[in-house]
């Protein structure tokens, strides 16, 4: 079909999808774009006026006014397409307008009635009902958190920061975090510097450490002046670290005192203690040759730093990348929690955990689970709730999912997992971190302490074991 033969809502889905595919910007793979567009067209088939509005907006590049194009808001606000999750308005804005878009750069136009930020039951995904807003002085070429055009994933032992972007497959879910441009020899104790224009943001990431514009100031000053989330005394240990080989814990859990904000985890054989956890001296009778070979590449490992009340930063000291499961980085990259693996390159220094964001998330999830459980109980008693009775959670399946949130689901928010040398996920032969040869699990005690406070105010059931 020629792109000049504009279809209408009365045409077959295939014809509409083909036409809309002709207008995609190329940031996503063709297979992902087709599935995303097919999904949207099928959802709009019963809303012909909105489907016509979408066709008009896309085929005219927004030259003609168009109405809101809406889909139902999901429980977590994200849309799943081809095994990937993302905010729906961002997904379609990337497809048809800005392939390099970051999720925090969208602002809805005034006449949009169902914009994502308005928290309605339906979400407008019309790309021309949003404007891209970029903070002045920020060099977008340095941003690497967006999953739209990630770096090509090569062999885990390779490290080539200058690899080509042109051959990268945009559906990869391993998100790359290269080192910042300053010399990697700079002291780890030096405060990380951010542009003064970012002073109001608590979401500092490695991407911003590559930005050269604007006067710089230490991040540590901002953290120091933030009031504590809780007046409860800080725990004796700020984190505990368990080391695993495949799915077996090796050695005892290593606890880091709160008086020791920086801890090194390396592959050497020195005795562990204080601010250093040495994995090389741990023995395992079931250790395989592959695990032994991977352990040889841990080397200097990584450093973990606790900042402020409980934010956590990581520096990769090894000659090889480390791979991180971080809900904070997932959200910064516009992904659903647990939906991505983050590859941290040698010398990279990056924030992997934000205590305030974690606290907000655990409060929201606990409240949602408690409200959904109450709504289910009412439904069992014969009082079926409507959409307005539990914050808009009406369908039975949504209630079931929300009520299924347990204590262990909330505990996962307080845990980081990191593997050395070998990655996992859809880009690697290993689908789970428990299939990697050497990895660590870090329990963050301040976050767990806050979770305990939340659960005392909003107790919920615990239907799931923690895997």
């Amino acid at each position: 079909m020629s792109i000049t033969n504009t279809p209408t809502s009365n045409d077959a889905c295939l014809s509409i999808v083909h036409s809309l595919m002709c207008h995609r910007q190329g940031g996503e793979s063709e297979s992902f774009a087709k599935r995303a567009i097919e999904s949207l067209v099928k959802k709009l088939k019963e809303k012909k006026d909105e489907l016509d509005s979408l066709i008009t907006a896309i085929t005219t590049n927004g030259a003609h006014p168009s109405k809101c194009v809406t889909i139902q808001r999901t429980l977590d606000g994200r849309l799943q397409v081809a095994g990937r999750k993302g905010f729906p308005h961002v997904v379609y804005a990337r497809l048809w307008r800005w392939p390099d878009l970051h999720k925090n750069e969208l602002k809805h136009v005034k006449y949009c009635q169902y914009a994502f930020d308005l928290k309605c039951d339906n979400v407008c995904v019309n790309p021309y009902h949003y404007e891209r807003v970029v903070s002045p002085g920020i060099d977008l070429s340095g941003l690497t958190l967006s999953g739209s055009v990630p770096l090509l994933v090569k062999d885990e032992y390779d490290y080539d920061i200058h690899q080509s972007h042109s051959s990268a497959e945009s559906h990869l879910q391993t998100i790359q975090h290269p080192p910042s441009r300053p010399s990697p020899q700079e002291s780890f104790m030096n405060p990380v510097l951010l542009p003064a224009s970012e002073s109001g943001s608590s979401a500092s990431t490695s991407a911003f450490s590559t930005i050269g514009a604007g006067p710089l100031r230490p991040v540590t000053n901002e953290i120091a002046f933030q009031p504590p989330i809780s007046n409860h005394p800080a725990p004796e240990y700020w984190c505990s670290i368990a080391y695993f080989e495949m799915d077996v814990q090796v050695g005892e859990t290593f606890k880091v005192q709160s008086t020791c904000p920086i801890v090194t985890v390396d592959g050497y054989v020195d005795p562990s203690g204080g601010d250093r956890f040495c994995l090389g001296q741990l023995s395992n009778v079931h250790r395989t040759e592959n695990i032994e070979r991977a352990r040889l590449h841990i080397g200097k490992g990584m450093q973990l730093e606790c900042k402020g009340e409980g934010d956590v930063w990581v520096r990769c000291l090894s000659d090889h990348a480390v791979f991180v499961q971080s809900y904070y980085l997932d959200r910064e990259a516009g992904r659903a929690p647990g939906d991505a693996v983050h590859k941290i390159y040698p010398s990279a220094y990056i924030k992997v955990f934000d205590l305030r964001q974690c606290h907000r998330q655990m409060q929201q999830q606990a409240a949602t689970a408690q409200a959904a459980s109450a709504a289910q109980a009412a439904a069992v008693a014969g009082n079926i709730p409507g959409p307005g009775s539990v914050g808009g959670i009406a369908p039975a399946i949504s209630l079931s999912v929300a009520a299924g949130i347990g204590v262990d689901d909330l505990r996962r928010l307080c845990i980081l997992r990191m593997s050395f040398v070998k990655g996992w996920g859809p880009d690697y032969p290993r689908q789970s971190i428990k299939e990697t040869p050497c990895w660590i699990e870090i329990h963050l005690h301040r976050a767990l302490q806050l979770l305990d406070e939340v659960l005392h105010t909003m107790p919920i059931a615990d239907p799931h074991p923690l895997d």
Side-chain angles (χ1 to χ4, degrees):
M1 176 189 290
S2 168
I3 60 174
T4 57
N5 296 332
T6 305
T8 69
S9 58
N10 293 319
D11 288 314
C13 285
L14 187 62
S15 299
I16 299 172
V17 170
H18 181 83
S19 177
L20 296 178
M21 280 286 288
C22 294
H23 294 270
R24 67 188 182 92
Q25 295 300 305
E28 298 285 2
S29 66
E30 182 175 355
S31 60
F32 176 84
K34 186 174 181 181
R35 291 184 67 174
I37 295 172
E38 282 177 345
S39 172
L40 180 57
V41 170
K42 287 177 181 177
K43 289 175 182 175
L44 296 176
K45 256 305 184 179
E46 301 303 317
K47 298 188 286 187
K48 292 186 179 295
D49 57 334
E50 293 189 21
L51 182 53
D52 282 325
S53 287
L54 175 68
I55 295 170
T56 298
I58 302 306
T59 56
T60 65
N61 295 323
H64 297 292
S66 54
K67 300 177 182 178
C68 285
V69 178
T70 63
I71 60 175
Q72 187 172 4
R73 181 185 292 270
T74 59
L75 188 64
D76 66 355
R78 292 170 170 81
L79 173 74
Q80 179 161 331
V81 177
R84 278 174 48 184
K85 280 190 174 182
F87 295 111
H89 63 311
V90 176
V91 169
Y92 293 107
R94 282 177 179 163
L95 272 181
W96 285 308
R97 296 195 70 183
W98 307 287
D100 61 343
L101 178 72
H102 188 265
K103 70 182 181 70
N104 293 327
E105 295 172 359
L106 283 184
K107 178 183 178 182
H108 65 271
V109 295
K110 292 182 179 179
Y111 53 81
C112 183
Q113 298 177 329
Y114 297 95
F116 181 83
D117 294 337
L118 298 181
K119 308 294 184 184
C120 300
D121 290 343
N122 291 323
V123 179
C124 178
V125 295
N126 186 337
Y128 292 94
H129 277 203
Y130 295 89
E131 298 172 343
R132 187 173 188 178
V133 180
V134 181
S135 301
I138 292 183
D139 176 15
L140 288 178
S141 64
L143 295 179
T144 58
L145 290 181
S146 172
S148 56
V149 190
L151 299 178
L152 178 64
V153 176
K154 303 176 77 173
D155 184 85
E156 292 112 309
Y157 289 110
D158 291 344
Y159 172 55
D160 179 11
I161 196 61
H162 301 294
Q163 50 197 316
S164 169
H165 287 224
S166 60
S167 60
E169 284 293 332
S170 58
H171 66 275
L172 298 182
Q173 291 186 326
T174 302
I175 300 175
Q176 313 288 304
H177 300 272
S180 54
R181 289 177 188 142
S183 169
Q185 279 75 35
E186 67 184 4
S187 168
F188 183 72
M189 291 300 294
N190 287 345
V192 176
L193 299 177
L194 295 184
S197 60
E198 291 297 317
S199 59
S201 171
S202 62
S204 306
T205 69
S206 66
F208 291 139
S209 65
T210 67
I211 298 170
L216 301 177
R217 54 163 193 79
V219 160
T220 48
N221 290 348
E222 176 187 322
I223 295 174
F225 289 104
Q226 287 184 331
I229 299 172
S230 169
N231 293 323
H232 199 86
E236 180 181 1
Y237 301 96
W238 71 265
C239 78
S240 55
I241 307 170
Y243 170 64
F244 293 83
E245 292 178 358
M246 307 295 279
D247 59 351
V248 177
Q249 181 174 350
V250 178
E252 297 182 359
T253 300
F254 183 81
K255 294 184 177 180
V256 185
Q257 291 190 330
S258 294
T259 54
C260 224
I262 299 174
V263 60
T264 302
V265 183
D266 60 41
Y268 299 126
V269 296
D270 299 328
S272 298
D275 61 352
R276 189 177 177 195
F277 185 18
C278 296
L279 306 179
Q281 45 90 25
L282 299 176
S283 60
N284 177 12
V285 295
H286 302 293
R287 184 171 294 153
T288 65
E289 183 180 346
N290 286 338
I291 294 175
E292 192 66 67
R293 190 163 57 247
R295 279 168 53 85
L296 293 175
H297 291 278
I298 295 176
K300 295 179 180 179
M302 69 176 79
Q303 282 184 318
L304 301 167
E305 180 177 8
C306 181
K307 288 189 175 185
E309 191 176 355
D311 294 351
V312 179
W313 293 66
V314 169
R315 183 186 290 271
C316 179
L317 300 177
S318 173
D319 291 334
H320 305 282
V322 295
F323 297 80
V324 181
Q325 183 182 73
S326 161
Y327 289 177
Y328 168 76
L329 289 179
D330 291 344
R331 292 181 69 87
E332 289 303 296
R335 300 296 180 91
D339 198 39
V341 179
H342 302 267
K343 185 175 183 179
I344 313 298
Y345 283 94
S347 301
Y349 179 57
I350 181 172
K351 184 177 182 179
V352 294
F353 181 79
D354 185 286
L355 185 67
R356 292 178 184 276
Q357 183 190 85
C358 175
H359 186 239
R360 286 194 299 269
Q361 197 170 352
M362 64 177 67
Q363 285 181 315
Q364 291 168 359
Q365 288 194 17
T368 299
Q370 189 181 48
S373 295
Q376 274 194 330
V380 169
N383 302 319
I384 300 176
S389 59
V390 196
I393 305 174
I397 183 64
S398 296
L399 282 174
S400 176
V401 171
I405 298 173
V407 175
D408 284 335
D409 295 295
L410 298 176
R411 285 185 63 224
R412 288 187 183 95
L413 302 174
C414 312
I415 295 172
L416 295 170
R417 286 176 166 179
M418 306 183 187
S419 69
F420 295 93
V421 184
K422 295 287 187 178
W424 78 95
D427 308 318
Y428 298 99
R430 299 159 294 276
Q431 296 307 302
S432 163
I433 194 171
K434 293 182 179 181
E435 298 173 30
T436 61
C438 39
W439 58 282
I440 57 175
E441 183 172 87
I442 303 148
H443 289 240
L444 303 172
H445 292 189
R446 183 59 168 175
L448 290 167
Q449 192 180 59
L450 295 177
L451 175 59
D452 190 54
E453 292 183 9
V454 169
L455 292 176
H456 272 87
T457 58
M458 290 183 288
I460 62 175
D462 187 13
H464 305 303
L466 182 65
D467 58 10

